[in-house]
Amino acid sequence: MREAYSPVPELNLLKEFEDRIGPVHYSAGFELREYGGDAALDTWSEHPEFLSRFIPFAQAGHTGSHYALWRCDDRADLAALPVVPVGDEGDLCVVARSLTELFRLLAVDSEPVAEGFLDPSDAEEHSEGHREYLIWLDQKFGLGPPEDLDALWTARKEHDDRFRSWASRFIDLSER
């Protein structure tokens, strides 16, 4: 029996999908990495409380950013934690209120930008495994791409405000 990728069933399903389709991208810039691995968080702050509240799990873009779960509390359901891209370009914010919300955003097939995600209609072409990802997302979770990206981006603001308030105890977010 193969060891699970993580203690998060939703991530394990995604890992099985990723292993099945092989070395192709299914969403721009996204790729699972070692669960809980190094995401250079110590370049933001070396404070143990700051570092202990992130669980990195994926590459978020082609520039070195990573996705991490933010342990905003001690809930048992890790998939229900907010998702933060830890950017190499000064990005540090909540992009999704949960893993399944991130999965829906990945269906847009766009790397995150400061204002959210690019509209899918702006994509010139989709990643090679995108169509298979959409089928997987529907089969496993009954989900598809978000119909209203702006509404989804606005909905995560409360989590982002809470995150920024917490993170400002360790780092200066005023210029970000």
Side-chain angles (χ1 to χ4, degrees):
M1 182 179 209
R2 194 171 96 164
E3 187 175 319
Y5 163 74
S6 79
V8 184
E10 292 84 348
L11 283 177
N12 293 337
L13 289 171
L14 184 60
K15 178 68 171 144
E16 289 171 9
F17 167 76
E18 198 172 274
D19 288 349
R20 181 175 54 80
I21 67 167
V24 299
H25 285 279
Y26 45 91
S27 186
F30 183 87
E31 185 177 342
L32 288 174
R33 296 288 189 207
E34 178 187 357
Y35 179 82
D38 182 29
L41 286 161
D42 58 352
T43 62
W44 289 90
S45 171
E46 293 182 357
H47 196 286
E49 184 181 347
F50 179 83
L51 297 172
S52 70
R53 287 295 175 179
F54 293 95
I55 307 169
F57 64 91
Q59 176 180 304
H62 295 294
T63 62
S65 297
H66 292 84
Y67 282 117
L69 298 170
W70 172 46
R71 295 214 54 154
C72 58
D73 54 34
D74 292 323
R75 68 186 74 174
D77 183 4
L78 299 178
L81 291 170
V83 179
V84 176
V86 181
D88 60 335
E89 298 173 2
D91 301 333
L92 196 60
C93 65
V94 170
V95 294
R97 296 172 291 178
S98 67
L99 267 179
T100 53
E101 190 167 278
L102 176 67
F103 290 174
R104 292 187 72 205
L105 290 168
L106 293 177
V108 174
D109 201 11
S110 155
E111 291 187 31
V113 293
E115 305 79 36
F117 284 76
L118 300 176
D119 189 285
S121 61
D122 293 340
E124 293 180 21
E125 63 182 60
H126 287 291
S127 299
E128 185 178 346
H130 182 253
R131 186 172 161 350
E132 289 175 84
Y133 177 74
L134 293 178
I135 293 167
W136 173 86
L137 185 62
D138 180 50
Q139 288 176 343
K140 295 297 181 186
F141 300 100
L143 298 172
E147 293 177 20
D148 187 343
L149 278 171
D150 292 333
L152 203 57
W153 190 247
T154 300
R156 56 103 234 161
K157 183 166 179 7
E158 181 180 328
H159 285 50
D160 189 51
D161 290 345
R162 184 174 167 210
F163 172 76
R164 293 177 70 76
S165 175
W166 171 81
S168 68
R169 296 175 21 214
F170 309 100
I171 57 177
D172 181 12
L173 294 172
S174 63
E175 307 242 343
R176 300 175 195 278

